[in-house]
């Protein structure tokens, strides 16, 4: 279960509580579900009960109890607990890692897309300055992934404010991919860097590392195919903290929420930073867990699940780079 799916599950619980007259309406359009903080319980948490307590005229813990009894735990939620003044904490089921990988591979190109901003209409004025133009066109793509109607429209009033790009000649020397990364990776209020380091193929270059990680996912898929190893999420590496796959599974699971936030806040830099985090997690996982059998070792369920996990990571990296307008190379 992804954070977006968990958010919808909690919202359905609120809807049921309102329908049962256990809580007054209206139902919030969006319910934030976040990773549990240090000292918390479970994997995810929400403070929606505290938000509803005032309008309901009830203590937050009582509201949390009402919602806990209505949360559907049949699809990936193992346990729901209440902590503090009324936080709902969720522990996912043991098969949550396999379920997440399966969800991504079911429709890789659209993983993270949703309807969180359905009904939103955004019309942006055309921008002549290179960075503002690129930022605007990228935000339009991000908004559309969340169900919004977005376009660049002559005469529109909304404009995105960003620090302008440096000398266009520097961008031309970088080429299209590195130039787009240079203009989108820094936050809107930060000055973009367009130096030659963006073209260097080494770990210190974040763009290289993201594209290298994607190329590694494709290399693993090709090698697995040559060895006759299929891709099967069943038996996926555990997601518990401290396990090798945990950071990667966390990054993959957070991708829908990152896309939504990047669209809602008009901030493509959030997506770029998340791709860096995902790439780092994937490369570290490969260093820790051998993805394919060696020598006379027979392929196992672990190898099939690691191949599926690599495919899922590749889908997130390729999809994110595509939204930024950056090529994801099969070989690097």
């Amino acid at each position: 279960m992804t954070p977006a799916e968990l958010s919808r599950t909690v919202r359905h619980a609120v809807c049921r509580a309102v329908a049962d007259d256990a809580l007054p309406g209206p139902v919030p359009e969006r319910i934030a579900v976040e990773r549990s903080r240090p000292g918390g319980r479970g994997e995810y948490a929400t403070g929606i009960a505290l938000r509803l307590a005032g309008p309901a005229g009830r203590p937050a813990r009582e509201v949390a109890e009402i919602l806990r009894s209505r949360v559907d735990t049949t699809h990936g939620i193992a346990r729901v607990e209440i902590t503090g003044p009324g936080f709902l904490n969720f522990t996912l089921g043991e098969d949550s890692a396999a379920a997440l990988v399966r969800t991504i591979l079911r429709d890789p190109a659209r993983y993270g897309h949703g309807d969180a901003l359905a009904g939103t209409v955004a019309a942006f004025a055309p921008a002549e300055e290179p960075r503002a133009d690129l930022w605007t066109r990228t935000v339009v793509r991000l908004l559309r992934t969340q169900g919004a109607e977005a376009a660049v429209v002559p005469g529109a009033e909304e404009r995105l404010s960003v620090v302008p790009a440096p000398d266009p000649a520097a961008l031309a020397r970088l080429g299209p991919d590195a130039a787009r990364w240079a203009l989108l990776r820094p936050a809107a209020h930060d000055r973009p860097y367009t130096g030659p380091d963006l073209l260097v193929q080494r770990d210190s270059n974040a763009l290289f590392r993201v594209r290298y990680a994607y190329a590694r996912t494709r290399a693993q898929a090709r090698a697995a195919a040559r060895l006759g190893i299929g891709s099967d999420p069943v038996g996926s590496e555990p997601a518990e903290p401290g396990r090798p796959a945990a950071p990667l599974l966390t990054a993959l699971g957070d991708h829908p929420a990152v896309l939504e936030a990047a669209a809602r806040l008009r901030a493509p830099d959030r997506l770029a930073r998340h791709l860096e985090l995902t790439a780092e997690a994937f490369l570290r996982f490969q260093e820790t867990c051998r993805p394919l059998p060696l020598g006379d070792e027979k392929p196992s369920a672990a190898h099939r699940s690691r191949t599926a996990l690599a495919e899922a990571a590749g889908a997130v990296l390729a999809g994110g780079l595509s939204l930024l307008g950056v090529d994801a190379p099969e070989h690097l």
Side-chain angles (χ1 to χ4, degrees), residues 95 97-103 105 230-237 301 304-309 311:
D95 65 342
L100 171 61
V101 174
R102 192 177 296 111
T103 297
L105 298 183
S231 167
D232 187 355
V234 174
S236 291
E237 306 289 334
R304 290 190 290 273
S305 70
R306 289 169 191 169
T307 298
L309 184 54
E311 291 177 353

Side-chain angles (χ1 to χ4, degrees), residues 5-271:
E5 292 170 334
L6 187 53
S7 176
R8 287 193 291 270
T9 298
V10 176
R11 189 174 186 277
H12 291 159
V14 176
C15 289
R16 287 194 290 273
V18 171
D20 296 343
D21 290 328
L23 291 174
V27 177
E29 290 187 6
R30 179 174 177 269
I31 294 177
V33 174
E34 300 177 341
R35 285 280 172 183
S36 296
R37 297 181 181 180
R41 296 182 184 175
E43 297 161 72
Y44 294 96
T46 179
I48 185 60
L50 284 74
R51 178 179 169 187
L52 298 176
R58 299 185 181 185
R61 284 191 69 93
E62 184 178 331
V63 174
E65 287 285 0
I66 291 171
L67 297 180
R68 179 169 68 170
S69 66
R70 288 168 172 78
V71 170
D72 182 1
T73 59
T74 60
H75 299 292
I77 300 177
R79 187 166 60 255
V80 183
E81 300 174 273
I82 300 173
T83 59
F87 290 100
L88 286 168
N89 299 261
F90 305 93
T91 299
L92 303 186
E94 293 182 358
D95 65 342
S96 60
L100 171 61
V101 174
R102 192 177 296 111
T103 297
I104 297 172
L105 298 183
R106 187 178 300 124
D107 191 356
R110 289 189 55 79
Y111 174 63
H113 294 214
D115 57 2
L117 298 181
T120 298
V121 178
F124 299 95
E128 295 183 3
E129 194 278 321
R131 190 184 185 203
D133 175 60
L134 176 62
W135 199 276
T136 301
R137 289 186 283 110
T138 305
V139 166
V140 166
R141 287 197 295 272
L142 289 169
L143 285 166
R144 289 173 178 173
T145 70
Q146 302 305 307
E149 294 182 26
V152 177
V153 180
E157 295 184 359
E158 184 171 357
R159 295 178 182 274
L160 298 178
S161 178
V162 298
V163 173
D167 183 6
L171 297 177
R173 288 193 295 270
L174 289 176
D177 288 329
R180 291 188 184 102
W181 183 267
L183 299 182
L184 294 173
R185 169 58 179 83
H189 58 269
D190 289 335
R191 181 177 178 81
Y193 170 76
T194 56
D197 287 353
L198 288 165
L199 297 176
V200 176
Q201 297 198 29
R202 61 184 178 213
D203 286 353
S204 60
N205 178 358
L207 174 58
F208 166 75
R209 195 154 177 83
V210 170
R211 301 211 299 174
Y212 173 69
Y214 173 73
R216 288 300 308 153
T217 69
R218 300 307 305 141
Q220 181 172 335
R222 291 191 297 269
R226 287 195 298 269
L227 294 173
I229 299 175
S231 167
D232 187 355
V234 174
S236 291
E237 306 289 334
E240 290 87 351
R243 302 299 292 266
L248 177 56
L249 290 165
T250 296
L252 298 181
D254 287 347
H255 183 67
V258 171
L259 273 188
E260 181 185 338
R264 191 182 296 276
L265 300 175
R266 279 53 165 172
D269 56 295
R270 286 179 170 245
L271 174 57

